[in-house]
Amino acid sequence: MTSVRVLLAEDHRLVRAGIHALLDRMAGVEGVGEVSDGMEALKVVEAIQPDLVLMDVAMPGLNGLEAASRISKQWPAVRIIMLSMHANEEYLRQALKAGAMGYLLKGADLVELEQAIRTVSGGASYLTPSVARHLIDPDREGDVRELAPVERLSPRQREILQLIAEGHSTKEMAYRLKLSAKTVETHRAQLMARLDIHDIAGLVRFAIKAGLTHPSS
């Protein structure tokens, strides 16, 4: 039986070590790499084409949601399970919109992690029970859900928002994204207008709340 080849994308070294130890205990599952940010994840996925990526939601440089969206579009055969500390509807819906087939809380035990990997690698979706209820709540049946503010931003605007929250200057963002400084400033002005937030501190708070970056980034 062919092993499920798993790439782990997580920026906290201790968390990576813990998950790696759990993967080593699973029969038929092979950890084929570890990365600490979304851009590295894209490069490794392109290079080795894993069967599945365990992807942290909040990582520096390029967060897991944006990385998942790019992976699902460019390499649709690669399945994605998002790892998150947050059991709320907004994170769940963003993960599913990005193309993830699984959503798992970081506090999950070995049994649930293995169940999620087996389920998603088999072509079905796995949502940890505490977040799955958001999709089946009978009191919400028939509701028309408004887009969350972060969902109103383009992928490029979300990318720039994350970099702003991480403290990068316009020049640094332009270099990283291969854009002109003027284009970066235009995107920043547009996302401020769309969010109705007009100061850096406000953008940082919003990015943290939306899960685009860690408070310590």
Side-chain angles (χ1 to χ4, degrees):
M1 181 177 176
T2 304
S3 293
V4 179
R5 301 167 62 251
V6 178
L7 171 66
L8 175 59
E10 161 64 56
D11 64 322
H12 288 101
R13 187 175 299 176
L14 289 177
V15 177
R16 282 204 310 272
I19 295 175
H20 186 90
L22 293 178
L23 294 176
D24 285 344
R25 294 169 61 184
M26 296 179 195
V29 175
E30 178 189 3
V32 293
E34 298 178 11
V35 297
S36 59
D37 67 57
M39 291 305 299
E40 287 184 75
L42 296 178
K43 293 176 183 177
V44 175
V45 166
E46 182 176 22
I48 68 173
Q49 300 285 296
D51 301 308
L52 186 146
V53 181
L54 289 173
M55 181 85 74
D56 185 17
V57 168
M59 293 186 290
L62 183 71
N63 68 79
L65 294 168
E66 296 301 327
S69 180
R70 297 186 190 186
I71 289 170
S72 65
K73 290 174 183 175
Q74 295 180 14
W75 303 283
V78 178
R79 298 187 169 110
I80 301 166
I81 296 175
M82 300 303 303
L83 299 173
S84 177
M85 296 174 61
H86 306 283
N88 65 47
E89 181 182 8
E90 183 171 334
Y91 284 86
L92 172 60
R93 291 190 181 277
Q94 286 185 56
L96 296 178
K97 183 178 179 181
M101 292 181 64
Y103 191 96
L104 193 65
L105 296 181
K106 289 188 178 181
D109 58 18
L110 173 62
V111 173
E112 187 178 10
L113 176 61
E114 184 167 5
Q115 182 182 359
I117 290 174
R118 305 283 184 207
T119 300
V120 171
S121 64
S125 297
Y126 181 87
L127 306 178
T128 201
S130 59
V131 296
R133 62 183 174 81
H134 291 302
L135 297 183
I136 59 174
D137 184 348
D139 294 333
R140 296 177 57 86
E141 188 173 355
D143 284 355
V144 176
R145 188 184 69 92
E146 292 186 7
L147 287 176
V150 71
E151 294 178 16
R152 300 182 192 129
L153 301 178
S154 69
R156 179 66 82 192
Q157 288 169 346
R158 289 196 297 269
E159 194 170 7
I160 287 175
L161 173 60
Q162 178 181 350
L163 294 174
I164 290 172
E166 291 173 358
H168 294 277
S169 68
T170 298
K171 184 177 180 180
E172 289 169 341
M173 288 187 283
Y175 177 78
R176 178 187 287 262
L177 301 175
K178 297 180 174 60
L179 300 173
S180 69
K182 185 175 181 180
T183 299
V184 170
E185 290 172 353
T186 298
H187 282 303
R188 181 171 58 189
Q190 290 173 343
L191 75 88
M192 283 181 161
R194 187 160 295 183
L195 297 175
D196 195 23
I197 298 174
H198 302 284
D199 61 274
I200 299 301
L203 291 178
V204 172
R205 288 192 295 270
F206 178 87
I208 292 171
K209 184 178 179 181
L212 298 181
T213 188
H214 291 301
S216 58
S217 294

